[in-house]
Amino acid sequence: DKLQHWLFSCRRYAGWDFPLLLVQIAGFGKPGLPDLQHGFVQVRQAQQQFAASTPNCVLVSAADLGAVQDIHPPLKAELARRLALQLHAVMQADDSSTLLPLQAKLHQLTTAVAVLRLPDGVYWPLIQPIEGFFADCPPTGWQAVPARYTADQQYIEITLPPAAQTLCYGMAAQPALTLYN
């Protein structure tokens, strides 16, 4: 609510709906704390929701660039690259950015497995298992779901419970990939 109020006030003062590049907070915090109770995970979720519901606002993720002991991402050059690419896309009024999170598309969905196709020619850290995927399964709520790379490393397969209604990534304290909802 404070971020929304700040942006509305700034835009009103400026007299136009200028674009906002919002840097998502990096992975950080106490290991061992349940992901959904981790304060920084909740901040990242709020930032995702804010960017999705705010016109002319783009989220630039740093969720995978964090370090356990430092809230400031050590991979600043990568964050700068992402900001520059997103700024270029905003200036070109182009919805298709070259940022990786915007290129990961839901490829296939069945009642048991969701499949994400990864962009060609991009290096993806082959971390097994992939942590940070959660599904909303009423009435029990959010729960972690397993994810793994396929043998050809072109897809990520996420096993879903039968009651899953929403799949979300980035709800781990230290996510390894940068993917949006």
Side-chain angles (χ1 to χ4, degrees):
D1 289 343
K2 289 181 181 180
L3 183 58
Q4 183 74 44
H5 178 72
W6 169 81
L7 180 59
F8 177 76
S9 297
C10 289
R11 285 179 171 174
R12 185 178 49 192
Y13 183 77
W16 67 294
D17 266 355
F18 58 83
L20 175 68
L21 297 179
L22 178 61
V23 177
Q24 189 177 33
I25 194 168
F28 170 75
K30 295 180 183 177
L33 188 64
D35 289 326
L36 297 178
Q37 295 173 9
H38 200 284
F40 293 101
V41 171
Q42 294 170 358
V43 170
R44 284 199 305 269
Q45 285 181 292
Q47 289 174 311
Q48 287 177 345
Q49 291 169 353
F50 174 80
S53 65
T54 303
N56 217 8
C57 179
V58 178
L59 183 72
V60 178
S61 182
D64 62 324
L65 302 178
V68 175
Q69 300 301 325
D70 189 357
I71 195 168
H72 302 285
L75 302 173
K76 289 178 178 50
E78 173 58 18
L79 181 55
R81 182 188 76 83
R82 293 175 187 184
L83 282 164
L85 288 171
Q86 197 60 280
L87 179 60
H88 180 265
V90 167
M91 298 304 287
Q92 298 296 320
D94 182 8
D95 290 337
S96 62
S97 165
T98 55
L99 287 176
L100 303 181
L102 302 180
Q103 291 182 350
K105 303 287 186 202
L106 188 62
H107 180 69
Q108 174 186 356
L109 181 63
T110 67
T111 56
V113 177
V115 179
L116 295 175
R117 186 183 192 303
L118 301 173
D120 295 329
V122 176
Y123 167 76
W124 292 87
L126 298 179
I127 298 166
Q128 297 283 8
I130 304 168
E131 296 181 5
F133 284 99
F134 280 75
D136 185 15
C137 305
T140 58
W142 290 97
Q143 62 185 36
V145 292
R148 65 176 185 81
Y149 289 98
T150 57
D152 61 7
Q153 300 173 0
Q154 292 185 356
Y155 299 88
I156 297 175
E157 294 180 343
I158 305 111
T159 304
L160 298 173
Q165 291 186 345
T166 304
L167 175 64
C168 184
Y169 181 75
M171 294 173 68
Q174 292 288 320
L177 304 175
T178 303
L179 301 171
Y180 290 158
N181 286 0

